[in-house]
Amino acid sequence: MEGMSGPYQIRGSVSLPEAELQWRFSRSSGPGGQHVNTSDSRVELLFDLAATEALPEVWKSRALERLASRLVDGVLTVRASEHRSQWRNRETAAVRLAALLAEATAPPPKPRKATRIPRGINERRLREKKQRAETKRGRQGRDWG
């Protein structure tokens, strides 16, 4: 894979292992004129998430759970065909895969800690609400004209 700007970082020091990436190429249906009929510019990038050793075990189980709907036999597939050149589609697919894995392996957000609304704020809200109601009630006079 000459010229590729890898390795693609997932998060921290963990990156996509080139050896575990499988590439498939086919004819794209996108832009490209007559040239598109003869070149395999569409890219499919396959990554065996279930069998990988590159991810820490915790990340792997988290990703398998979160990406379950996208996996086929534990393999994650990313397609790219926006660009006319195969090389740019490869770049796009690899970046997309890295972003997908980064999102899927992220730790769950911290649970929200319930807090009470301070009494002063609540009282002020109710006071302003009453004031607004008064203003509107004042507009209801029928003997205007």
Side-chain angles (χ1 to χ4, degrees), residues 15-122:
S15 58
L16 280 177
E18 291 287 341
E20 292 184 21
L21 300 179
Q22 275 187 300
W23 300 89
R24 280 205 306 231
F25 308 101
S26 57
R27 294 199 179 130
S28 177
S29 61
Q34 294 165 338
H35 173 68
V36 84
N37 301 327
T38 58
S39 64
D40 291 345
S41 60
R42 184 164 113 207
V43 171
E44 274 188 21
L45 175 56
L46 293 96
F47 179 65
D48 194 344
L49 188 57
T52 187
E53 296 295 319
L55 298 177
E57 207 50 50
V58 182
W59 287 21
K60 193 160 123 176
S61 60
R62 212 181 278 157
L64 284 167
E65 188 182 315
R66 290 182 184 168
L67 297 172
S69 61
R70 287 195 61 159
L71 298 175
V72 179
D73 298 330
V75 176
L76 180 63
T77 306
V78 176
R79 289 178 193 83
S81 59
E82 303 77 80
H83 305 291
R84 286 178 62 166
S85 85
Q86 186 189 97
W87 186 81
R88 283 180 64 194
N89 280 331
R90 284 166 83 144
E91 284 281 303
T92 305
V95 168
R96 213 177 277 167
L97 178 65
L100 199 63
L101 286 172
E103 198 178 311
T105 58
K110 288 195 174 86
R112 183 184 177 279
K113 200 158 47 169
T115 56
R116 285 185 55 222
I117 298 170
R119 202 169 81 205
I121 288 176
N122 213 19

